């Protein structure tokens, strides 16, 4: 959910740090009544609070007083509730003083606690309907998935994204059958489990004076917090006198409640505040909205409300059932595994967050939000600009306001324009989640804002970099978490760049997510193209690959950025291979800008072994000489280029990456799929290897095995110069070309040797005609299988399928996914001929001209097309079998000589 830093605040005479409730908003079926006829204005501006005497206030702090801060909690960090010592003040001197702070004094509207009870309240403020701030806003869209559509959460979100993302926010109303049981409503939890609250001052959310900066002469060097903590001091450097903002506005810790106690407290506040002379009544949502913005824009009293925000479900419990839940019926168990159970949502099959191993609270582990009337979540975007999803378990509606990601910059500019003093003092104000600005002001500045009213049982979805805010209309309970489908990647990359410029902590490793997705996508490509495993999960990855695929583009852009940095900033002589576990236990980030170091890092032999920087700050992270620096790379640029090519669809790169990085070997699958009882070559040729006579694109039999050689070539320009070193010296003179006779092709057929390969022992690796070396490769031009009116190059290869005998493969270089494989070279090329004849007939039906005649059966000699009729090639193969390993072939040679 939203990035939040709970900073020190000055509330009257106290100094404190609070955190902010990040929320997820949605829209509902609730219809707003139009009260504009009874309102004085539909668009408001900030009215100054009434001026009162400004007393001189001097704050003196004890030397041992601790400045408290709250952080976004992570599972690996142990936190005390609302009280984490910064560790920076233990040896510091007392503050000299704080300059006089100007405040507008408002009468108390809520008096909390008494001598007998700390959780009681007296509400002296009263609703002013005649001064309601009515908002003239459009409603965000609502979507109603069917039972079938609701099964796959991320697929459904992808289906509505183009329409909903324009609003930045939307509601998703589940089918009527969606009724998950809520464990929080169980009696023992309702009455006994306690949670902490935060105190929110509504009158200070928009209209407040900036806090004054104070100096601490002996302030020590700042202590960096770990990734994922969303809090910390805000520091500036001013010559030799560091400045610390000790008075950033925030939300104070409040009292603890059980759910039962908080419901009574929240209901009592709402009853007292909206009381009428004729008795208690229930205000409408538009009444609450108008009064809320009146108090935010033009407060007449101090209004304090409480919010149970950011409650960790791993501690307090989730509103969704787990395996341990006591189900009343067997049909309720489906909710444990449901995509829409927010405990499952972050790590669904196509959410990139599944590649993050740690359980980051609020990002991968949901947070609970227990609200009361007017409790607020202020304008913010999600960490790393991720999606967020919020479910309202029960209670009063939750009001949301959303701004689309494309208008985020406009919102930021409008807030800086209308709150200049606050931003001047605290440039990262929007990261703190403590500031509201009326949607009326935003719309007057050309920022489209959309309203969304979330009712119980409904989801609210916010999109990448969508600003959102809102408040609760009464006692309720919601749960929220983040998700990062593949289409989030460009937004996440932009967020990382922005965080780096701001020297802001990250909460996840963007590169780790990107690389994890790329590796899984290549595996899917490998299974689709080489094993014909067209499973639904594999095909979903295929949708984001290819040259125009969003995953391919994201990785290509990231690799290009890495290449530029390495070319200009690194010395290859100092490059080392990064350990695979470099950041598996301890997160690694640049000590200067906090950039994630999953791809590369810079270290220093003279400094701490735990201190690193990104490539951009190799000269800034320590004062040691450049000679002491070294560079760590997870992959070299060549390997990253192969990964990009694999995602874009280059079959040879898919094969190479799968083999070298993923440890996938085709022979493992061939051994499983090809019958082992086959004894003789004629029996082996009975249809268990298929490929050529049918267009492989129409192949639907997932049991077909398509095999690629361990020595699969790269591009057309790979010639004899790439052959192995065991090529005879008298043959290492360039490519060999020999004329081939053909009754169907008038032009000369030139066979080009690429690699001789390695001879193998065994009776099937030769016959009385020729030796078949493993890894043999040749190249020849023939009719294009998709455009027979032209020609293209074909690669002929000999493979080892692990059966003690060779397999022969032919593939057109222009169409690497089209493979023709069999147990004999003749049959391979016969399948090529049949495929071309099929295409000629199809194009003749379409009336295409200038097509060649059909190639008659037997017109193509597979041995010749492989090059085995060439004396040059035959002599070369013989010369590499000096020890006569292929006995059957040499015995036949001896017999011919004798006879």
């Amino acid at each position: 959910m939203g990035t939040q830093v709970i900073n020190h605040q000055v509330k009257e005479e106290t100094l404190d740090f609070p955190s902010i409730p990040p929320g997820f908003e949605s829209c509902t079926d609730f219809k707003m009544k139009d009260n504009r006829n009874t309102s004085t204005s539909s668009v408001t501006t900030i009215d100054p609070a009434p001026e009162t005497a400004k007393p001189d206030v001097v704050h003196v702090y004890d030397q041992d007083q601790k400045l408290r801060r709250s952080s976004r909690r992570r599972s690996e960090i142990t936190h005390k509730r609302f009280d984490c010592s910064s560790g920076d003040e233990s040896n510091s001197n007392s503050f000299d003083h704080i300059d006089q702070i100007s405040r507008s004094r408002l009468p108390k509207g809520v008096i909390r606690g008494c001598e007998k009870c700390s959780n009681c309240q007296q509400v002296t403020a009263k609703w002013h309907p005649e001064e309601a701030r009515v908002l003239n806003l459009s409603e965000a869209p609502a979507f109603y998935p069917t039972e079938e559509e609701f099964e796959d959460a991320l697929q459904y979100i992808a289906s509505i994204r183009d329409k909903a993302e324009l609003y930045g926010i939307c509601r998703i109303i589940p089918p009527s059958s969606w009724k998950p049981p809520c464990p929080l409503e169980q009696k023992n939890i309702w009455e006994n489990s306690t949670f902490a609250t935060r105190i929110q001052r509504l009158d200070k959310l928009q209209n407040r004076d900036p806090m004054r900066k104070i100096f601490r002469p002996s302030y020590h060097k700042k202590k960096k917090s770990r990734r994922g903590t969303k809090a910390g001091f805000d520091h500036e450097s001013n010559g030799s006198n560091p400045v610390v903002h000790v008075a950033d506005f925030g939300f104070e810790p409040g009292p603890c409640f059980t759910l039962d106690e908080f419901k009574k407290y929240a209901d009592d506040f709402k009853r007292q505040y909206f009381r009428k002379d004729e008795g208690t009544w229930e205000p409408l949502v538009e009444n609450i909205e108008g009064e809320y913005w009146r108090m935010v824009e033009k407060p007449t009293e101090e209004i304090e409300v409480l919010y149970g925000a950011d409650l960790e479900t791993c501690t307090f419990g989730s509103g969704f059932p787990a395996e341990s839940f006591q189900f009343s019926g067997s049909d309720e168990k489906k909710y444990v595994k449901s995509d829409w159970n927010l405990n499952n949502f972050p790590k669904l099959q196509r959410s990139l967050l599944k590649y993050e191993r740690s359980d980051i609270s609020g990002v991968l582990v949901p947070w609970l939000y227990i609200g009361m009337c007017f409790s607020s979540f202020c304008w913010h975007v999600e960490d790393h600009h991720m999606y967020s999803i919020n479910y309202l378990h029960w209670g009063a509606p939750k009001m949301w306001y959303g701004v689309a990601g494309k208008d985020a910059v406009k919102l930021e500019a409008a807030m800086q324009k209308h709150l200049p003093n606050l931003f001047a003092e605290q440039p990262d104000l929007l990261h703190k989640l403590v500031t509201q600005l009326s949607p009326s002001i935003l719309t007057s500045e050309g920022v489209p804002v959309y309203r969304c009213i979330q009712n119980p049982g409904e989801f609210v979805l916010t999109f990448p970099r969508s600003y959102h805010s809102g408040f609760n209309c009464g006692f309720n309970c919601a749960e929220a978490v983040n998700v990062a489908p593949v289409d989030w990647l460009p937004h996440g990359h932009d967020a990382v760049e922005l965080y780096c410029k701001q020297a802001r902590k990250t909460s996840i490793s963007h590169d780790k997510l990107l690389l994890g997705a790329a590796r899984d996508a290549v595996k899917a490509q490998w299974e689709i193209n080489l094993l014909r495993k067209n499973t639904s999960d594999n095909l979903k990855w295929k949708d984001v690959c290819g040259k125009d695929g969003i995953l391919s583009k994201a990785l290509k852009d990231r690799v290009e950025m890495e290449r530029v940095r390495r070319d200009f900033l690194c010395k290859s002589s100092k490059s080392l291979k990064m350990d695979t576990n470099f950041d598996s236990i301890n997160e690694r980030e640049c000590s200067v800008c906090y950039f994630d170091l999953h791809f590369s890092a810079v270290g220093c032999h003279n400094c701490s072994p735990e201190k690193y920087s990104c490539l951009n700050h190799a000269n800034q992270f320590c004062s040691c000489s450049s000679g002491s620096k070294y560079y760590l790379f997870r992959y070299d640029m060549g390997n990253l280029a192969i990964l990009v090519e694999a995602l874009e669809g280059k079959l040879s790169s898919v094969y190479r990456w799968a083999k070298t990085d993923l440890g996938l070997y085709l022979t493992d699958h061939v051994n499983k799929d090809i019958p082992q009882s086959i004894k003789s070559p004629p029996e082996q040729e009975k249809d268990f290897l298929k490929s050529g006579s049918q267009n492989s694109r129409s192949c639907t039999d997932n049991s077909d095995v398509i095999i690629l050689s361990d020595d699969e070539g790269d591009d057309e320009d790979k010639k004899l110069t790439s052959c192995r070193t065991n090529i005879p010296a008298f043959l290492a003179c360039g490519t060999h070309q020999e004329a081939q006779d053909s009754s169907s092709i008038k032009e000369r057929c030139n066979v080009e040797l690429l690699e001789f390969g390695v001879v193998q022992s065994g009776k099937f690796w030769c016959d009385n005609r020729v030796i078949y070396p493993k890894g043999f490769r040749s190249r020849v031009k023939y009719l294009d299988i998709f455009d027979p009116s032209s020609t293209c190059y074909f690669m002929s290869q000999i493979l080892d399928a692990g059966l003690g005998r060779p397999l022969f493969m032919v593939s057109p270089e222009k169409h690497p996914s089209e493979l023709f494989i069999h147990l004999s070279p003749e049959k391979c090329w016969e399948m090529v001929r049949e495929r071309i004849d099929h295409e000629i007939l199809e194009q003749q039906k379409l009336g295409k001209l200038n097509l060649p005649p059909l190639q008659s059966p037997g017109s193509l000699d597979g041995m010749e097309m492989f090059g085995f009729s060439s004396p040059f090639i035959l002599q070369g193969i013989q010369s590499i079998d000096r020890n006569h390993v292929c006995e059957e072939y040499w015995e036949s040679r001896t017999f011919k000589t004798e006879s």
Side-chain angles (χ1 to χ4, degrees), residues 110-123 194-197 199 253-269 272 304 306 372:
V110 179
I111 301 173
R112 206 165 29 84
C114 64
E115 294 181 357
K116 296 181 179 180
C117 177
S118 61
N119 289 343
C120 67
Q121 63 186 323
Q122 179 183 356
V123 182
T194 61
F195 61 91
T197 61
I199 301 170
C256 293
F257 292 87
T258 64
L259 288 168
D260 183 57
E261 292 168 343
F262 193 69
K263 182 181 187 305
K264 294 175 182 176
Y265 182 90
D267 291 346
D268 182 56
F269 172 86
Q272 291 190 61
E304 287 187 353
L306 305 178
M372 62 178 288

Side-chain angles (χ1 to χ4, degrees), residues 390-398 454-458 476-479:
N390 181 294
Y391 182 74
L392 189 58
H393 288 291
W394 75 71
K398 185 185 287 282
Q454 181 185 22
N455 292 314
E458 297 178 351
N476 60 18
C477 177
E479 191 165 343

Side-chain angles (χ1 to χ4, degrees), residues 628-691:
S628 65
K629 307 293 174 59
Y630 60 91
Y631 303 92
L632 296 174
F633 299 137
R634 186 171 296 274
Y635 294 105
D636 61 38
M637 293 309 302
N639 284 334
L640 291 176
I642 292 173
L643 180 56
V644 171
E645 290 175 349
L647 288 182
E648 291 180 339
K650 186 174 181 180
L651 197 59
S652 60
S653 295
V654 171
Y655 173 77
R656 291 168 65 186
W657 182 270
K659 178 181 177 182
T660 59
D661 187 80
L662 304 179
L664 300 175
Y665 295 91
L666 287 166
T667 53
D668 295 338
H669 297 271
V670 173
N671 289 336
K672 294 176 183 177
D673 294 338
I674 296 181
Q676 298 297 312
S677 59
I678 297 174
K679 299 298 182 182
S680 62
E683 294 174 319
Q684 288 179 328
E685 293 181 2
K686 292 181 179 179
D687 297 330
F688 68 88
L689 288 177
K690 309 171 185 177
S691 61

Side-chain angles (χ1 to χ4, degrees), residues 407-417 423 430 465 467:
D407 297 313
V409 175
K410 290 182 181 179
L411 178 140
E412 293 165 358
M415 293 196 70
Q416 291 182 29
K417 175 181 177 180
F423 277 93
L430 284 172
R465 210 184 177 183
Y467 272 96

